[in-house]
Amino acid sequence: MHSKKLRDFVFRLHRYIGLAVGLIAIAIGLTGSLLVFHDERRCPWAIASSILLNHSTTALLADSLRAFFTSS
């Protein structure tokens, strides 16, 4: 009988420790994601516009596309 009580106690302890560790892991994951994407969250259009409106990038893309389609 003592063995069953101990097993039930350990099972409950394992369950609640697992839930607590899981919640901590979720909090760490969410805060890490917020830190990584901080700039994108503040100004999402700035990154896209800096890529799209950068003249050298646009010229390189245009040259690459022109070379691809004219080589066929």
Side-chain angles (χ1 to χ4, degrees):
M1 193 59 135
H2 179 66
S3 174
K4 181 169 173 31
K5 286 183 181 181
L6 180 63
R7 186 181 65 182
D8 290 342
F9 172 74
V10 170
F11 181 74
R12 267 189 252 119
L13 183 66
H14 180 264
R15 179 189 318 165
Y16 292 119
I17 289 175
L19 286 171
V21 170
L23 290 174
I24 292 170
I26 288 171
I28 290 171
L30 288 175
T31 56
S33 297
L34 292 175
L35 288 172
V36 167
F37 295 110
H38 177 72
D39 293 335
E40 287 85 353
R41 287 185 310 110
R42 268 187 346 142
C43 190
W45 58 88
I47 294 169
S49 64
S50 69
I51 292 170
L52 293 176
L53 298 179
N54 187 349
H55 180 68
S56 62
T57 304
T58 307
L60 180 63
L61 178 62
D63 291 342
S64 298
L65 289 173
R66 191 175 304 112
F68 177 76
F69 286 112
T70 56
S71 67
S72 298

